[in-house]
Amino acid sequence: DVPGLAHAVLVQTEIPHGRVTEESVRRAAEQVGSASGVLHVLTPLNCPALGQLPHELTFDLPLERRPPLSDLTVQHVGQHLAVVVADTLENAAAAASLFTVDYDVLPAQTTARAVLTEPAAPDEESGRIRHGSYLPDHFVKLDEEKLQDRRGEPPERGRSALRVDARYTTPVNAHYPIELSATIAEWNGEQLTVHDSTRWIAGERTALAAYLGIPEDRIRVLSPLVGGAFGSKSFLWMHVVLCAVAARAVGRPVKLVLTRDQMFTSTGHRPRTEQDVRLIADEDGTIVSTEHHTLTETSTVAHFCEPAGLSTRILYASPHLVVSHRTARINAPTPCFMRGPGEAPGLFALEVAIDELAERARIDPLELRIRNHADADQTSGKPWSGKHLLQCYQEGADRFGWKDRPAVPRSLQRGGVQVGWGMSTATYPGRRMPAGCRVVTDADGHVEFSSATHEVGNGVRTVMTQVAADTAGLPIDRVSFLSGDSAFPAAPYSGASQTTATVGSAVFAAADEWRRRFIAALVGDADSPLFGADPATVDIGTVDPRAAAAYRERLSFSTSSDSGDQSTQAFQSFGAHFCEVEVDEQIGRASVTRWVAVMDCGRVLNPKLARNQVMGGITFGLGMALLEQVPYDDATALPLGEYYLPTHADRPDFDISFLDHPDFHLDPIGVRGIGEIGTCGVPAAIANAIHHATGKRLRDLPITLEDLMIPFEQPGGAA
């Protein structure tokens, strides 16, 4: 609630590639500028020159190298073209609807396959790729070590009897959080305050400073609560920059909220993948060769690769392995990380291929995975800090009743529909980064911990309060945890399942230091009943916590933690998914009815929140398997239909459990992340269960009713 607020609405382009004519932009701006309540119309013709982001921000992160409104070129449908600012949201929306322009349309490449088969040629005069790329290559074979791998010699010809060689595809997926991306920008002289729905306040401040050409210390970003993200709010998107520019232009605070339609083009997505997997095994099912080649897409203005082959490098023992990734620059919005990035689409391909190999070997799918279990990280050669995947398999199989699974597909029926059982392995890296924490003890002895991290709905503030209270030895009602302010000590973006390990380590260090200082104050104060006591014998639980108020100056400080020692061990979480599906082939409906998941994610700090995270992840993967795709017309790059999501009616019966083996090698509280791994492996488990139910091996997501319906035979035998 900001006094004097004006409202902004984005105008976006409607073609995938070309140029907006200057005269039509000028004409549209004049017409819209005279509409009721309009305060300002920001276009490429009057937008102040914006800076370029530093290379380190755009190399590993999907941040756009083309500043918004920097020219009249069109790189994709939904590119920001103008910002209309008015006194009310209604007036801004009405005026924005009047903003129509003319285009000089150029040929577009809208799929990676099109780039692969018909690469665009450089323009003879400028040397720039004709489809307008702001990056040097239109088709890139990435050579970063983390995305490519080759080891061992291929098996001798004729040695191995079993082979799987298949292509698996995944579509564009949308993040679709409950809360729309929204920003309020407010200038106070040369100081900028941004209220944003983001989970990257520290990085957003850095990127904004680069775009706007001002020092970071003149920007404050606030994001105390985020209503869902899944990756879409982990980076700075262009509407935030434009909101700040618009607010400076009108001299008052400006609020800009993306529409639901604009969320599909403006805050990232999971890109399409085309994955070729080749497995070769001996007759007993021992894998001797693995290849996993990924073709995926990025935009012409950003560098991003969906790392679908990462899990393949480490999951199963394989003497010979080749993993590669190729990324095509296409005329489409910039993709980004999405829940289980790389692992979610990559495990769909790998785990369905493993199921196919088991079928060819006539070995139970679970048994085949056990036979090819990798005892160490094959890529680095390091031992795992803690791996209990075999225990996940065993406990999951027992809880599910896997031993009763018939080997032959189409063996189970219930109520006139086919029933199938499927399983898959789940895995996701354990990560930790540096973070800071501030401690403030108030006049009542209440202790407030704070860090520039984020609450995205997964319970970060709850868990951080638990860690602080438990470590400091205080009642939980005497402790609070604040987040979402760039003025707090720095923390990384909330993603990659790292927040609890990362920020939790900083909170642990701060609370441990607070406890040490409090005890030292008590035993060193002549007026304290504990004066002269041995610090090792002091039990804070017997001390009135309000006594801390007397020492609040020395009990208010900042501290930090590093990323820990990750040089000698490999950190990875593992799990096993087992599911049951019912397939009604008359109407093509697949229903997931029962789910068992057993997770090995280190220590579990809050069992209810942890279970809910995995439950949400499974539901996320269910949507990925059966419902979700952005249906683009490859010729126009325009969406063709609706985007389907799972609802409560699609919820299976969940049986979710954790092994709860602490991993103190990664961090002092023994945790590894939970948010991502719940989705990883889920689409494959469903696809494998559908094969068991129907006998159909489906390799393209999502699996639709057309895939599942039995052919309808007309009288006379014609289909």
Side-chain angles (χ1 to χ4, degrees):
D1 184 12
V2 178
L5 195 67
H7 295 266
V9 170
L10 288 170
V11 177
Q12 297 182 307
T13 57
E14 298 175 341
I15 64 168
H17 185 216
R19 184 178 177 87
V20 185
T21 66
E22 182 175 335
E23 177 56 33
S24 69
V25 172
R26 185 173 288 109
R27 182 180 64 247
E30 291 176 357
Q31 178 184 3
V32 170
S34 62
S36 176
V38 171
L39 304 174
H40 187 64
V41 182
L42 188 66
T43 74
L45 302 182
N46 65 352
C47 183
L50 297 170
Q52 295 281 344
L53 293 180
H55 178 73
E56 60 268 19
L57 279 181
T58 61
F59 182 74
D60 284 330
L61 299 174
L63 298 177
E64 299 192 354
R65 302 186 185 187
R66 174 189 180 270
L69 303 189
S70 57
D71 55 44
L72 294 172
T73 65
V74 178
Q75 303 298 316
H76 61 83
V77 171
Q79 176 183 303
H80 303 331
L81 176 60
V83 181
V84 179
V85 185
D87 54 352
T88 67
L89 176 60
E90 292 78 9
N91 281 337
S97 69
L98 303 175
F99 199 103
T100 57
V101 295
D102 299 324
Y103 298 96
D104 292 330
V105 179
L106 294 174
Q109 291 180 306
T110 59
T111 67
R113 182 54 55 182
V115 176
L116 184 65
T117 55
E118 299 179 13
D123 184 88
E124 293 181 359
E125 295 183 4
S126 66
R128 174 179 285 179
I129 298 301
R130 281 182 183 159
H131 71 273
S133 176
Y134 278 74
L135 295 161
D137 301 312
H138 64 283
F139 191 80
V140 181
K141 183 175 181 179
L142 297 175
D143 293 321
E144 293 97 321
E145 180 182 353
K146 66 181 181 180
L147 294 180
Q148 318 296 342
D149 199 358
R150 180 183 292 272
R151 63 172 179 260
E153 296 298 325
E156 298 176 6
R157 286 183 177 273
R159 170 194 165 185
S160 304
L162 304 173
R163 178 184 294 262
V164 172
D165 194 344
R167 175 168 293 172
Y168 307 84
T169 68
T170 62
V172 173
N173 288 155
H175 297 97
Y176 215 96
I178 291 176
E179 179 194 34
L180 300 168
S181 288
T183 303
I184 296 175
E186 180 179 12
W187 291 87
N188 182 8
E190 294 301 309
Q191 296 292 320
L192 172 63
T193 299
V194 176
H195 304 264
D196 193 29
S197 179
T198 180
R199 53 198 284 189
W200 194 47
I201 53 177
E204 182 164 300
R205 184 173 67 166
T206 300
L208 271 173
Y211 275 126
L212 299 174
I214 63 176
E216 283 188 45
D217 60 10
R218 283 169 40 190
I219 301 174
R220 184 182 184 189
V221 182
L222 296 164
S223 182
L225 295 170
V226 180
F230 312 122
S232 67
K233 299 172 185 175
S234 296
F235 312 99
L236 176 76
W237 297 106
M238 297 302 97
H239 67 278
V240 182
V241 183
L242 294 177
C243 189
V245 172
R248 172 170 265 182
V250 300
R252 57 193 281 191
V254 170
K255 181 177 184 178
L256 194 162
V257 182
L258 298 187
T259 66
R260 181 60 69 185
D261 283 350
Q262 289 170 345
M263 292 286 289
F264 282 83
T265 60
S266 308
T267 59
H269 58 274
R270 197 194 302 277
R272 281 174 286 211
T273 70
E274 189 177 284
Q275 302 175 58
D276 293 317
V277 178
R278 181 179 299 117
L279 301 176
I280 302 175
D282 288 337
E283 290 185 358
D284 64 354
T286 301
I287 296 173
V288 297
S289 177
T290 302
E291 294 190 32
H292 190 164
H293 305 285
T294 299
L295 174 63
T296 186
E297 305 162 346
T298 189
S299 72
T300 61
V301 296
H303 176 89
F304 178 76
C305 177
E306 181 75 14
L310 291 185
S311 298
T312 304
R313 301 174 73 197
I314 57 99
L315 195 51
Y316 299 109
S318 183
H320 174 250
L321 179 135
V322 180
V323 171
S324 71
H325 295 79
R326 289 186 293 178
T327 307
R329 306 200 193 286
I330 65 171
N331 294 112
T334 297
C336 71
F337 301 105
M338 185 172 174
R339 194 172 194 174
E343 278 77 7
L347 283 173
F348 165 67
L350 176 63
E351 288 296 287
V352 172
I354 289 289
D355 213 67
E356 295 192 53
L357 183 64
E359 185 178 28
R360 284 167 170 72
R362 299 184 184 276
I363 299 172
D364 180 86
L366 175 57
E367 174 60 27
L368 184 78
R369 288 168 170 84
I370 293 172
R371 291 186 189 184
N372 291 283
H373 179 269
D375 295 325
D377 179 1
Q378 299 174 96
T379 301
S380 67
K382 299 176 184 176
W384 301 112
S385 62
K387 182 181 183 183
H388 306 90
L389 178 56
L390 295 177
Q391 186 180 350
C392 292
Y393 286 150
Q394 188 59 57
E395 291 196 13
D398 291 345
R399 296 171 81 108
F400 188 83
W402 186 260
K403 63 180 177 59
D404 297 324
R405 176 185 182 269
V408 179
R410 303 189 68 85
S411 297
L412 297 175
Q413 293 86 29
R414 180 187 302 138
V417 301
Q418 296 297 125
V419 176
W421 292 359
M423 62 88 54
S424 69
T425 306
T427 189
Y428 196 79
R431 291 191 172 101
R432 176 185 168 192
M433 294 177 71
C437 182
R438 180 180 301 156
V439 186
V440 176
T441 304
D442 67 17
D444 187 42
H446 186 92
V447 187
E448 177 186 279
F449 294 77
S450 60
S451 180
T453 187
H454 319 83
E455 175 58 80
V456 296
N458 52 352
V460 165
R461 298 201 299 191
T462 299
V463 170
M464 292 303 120
T465 303
Q466 290 179 250
V467 171
D470 185 65
T471 307
L474 291 169
I476 202 165
D477 61 357
R478 304 296 299 173
V479 172
S480 59
F481 179 79
L482 301 181
S483 62
D485 189 337
S486 62
F488 295 156
Y493 67 92
S494 292
S497 279
Q498 66 178 348
T499 299
T500 303
T502 294
V503 181
S505 295
V507 172
F508 176 89
D512 190 56
E513 175 66 11
W514 186 94
R515 177 189 178 93
R516 187 193 65 77
R517 291 188 183 199
F518 187 29
I519 292 175
L522 289 171
V523 302
D525 184 353
D527 295 329
S528 166
L530 293 173
F531 176 67
D534 180 357
T537 66
V538 175
D539 180 4
I540 285 185
T542 64
V543 179
D544 186 342
R546 288 173 292 186
Y551 316 106
R552 60 182 181 274
E553 288 189 8
R554 74 176 80 174
L555 297 181
S556 299
F557 56 91
S558 294
T559 187
S560 63
S561 66
D562 57 22
S563 58
D565 182 7
Q566 302 185 34
S567 62
T568 60
Q569 293 182 307
F571 302 95
Q572 193 85 8
S573 288
F574 297 93
H577 291 295
F578 296 82
C579 77
E580 177 185 87
V581 300
E582 293 181 352
V583 180
D584 187 336
E585 296 175 299
Q586 297 295 327
I587 60 174
R589 181 176 66 190
S591 302
V592 181
T593 54
R594 188 163 61 95
W595 203 281
V596 172
V598 180
M599 295 290 155
D600 173 26
C601 300
R603 184 184 183 192
V604 178
L605 299 185
N606 187 309
K608 183 172 184 178
L609 290 178
R611 182 178 183 273
N612 287 351
Q613 279 290 287
V614 175
M615 187 188 304
I618 294 168
T619 307
F620 209 85
L622 188 156
M624 186 177 175
L626 299 177
L627 297 166
E628 298 187 44
Q629 64 175 328
V630 180
Y632 286 113
D633 181 327
D634 288 344
T636 66
L638 292 170
L640 290 175
E642 296 178 328
Y643 191 81
Y644 297 106
L645 292 163
T647 68
H648 292 297
D650 301 297
R651 178 195 186 279
D653 290 330
F654 286 112
D655 179 351
I656 297 167
S657 61
F658 297 88
L659 299 185
D660 204 14
H661 295 297
D663 187 350
F664 294 113
H665 300 287
L666 181 62
D667 55 75
I669 53 178
V671 303
R672 292 195 300 267
I674 293 174
E676 314 272 8
I677 195 172
T679 299
C680 300
V682 170
I686 294 172
N688 292 338
I690 287 175
H691 170 72
H692 187 238
T694 67
K696 293 182 178 181
R697 183 62 72 183
L698 302 172
R699 303 185 180 98
D700 304 303
L701 295 184
I703 296 169
T704 65
L705 63 90
E706 292 86 353
D707 297 322
L708 298 173
M709 289 181 67
I710 58 175
F712 174 72
E713 292 194 2
Q714 298 176 353

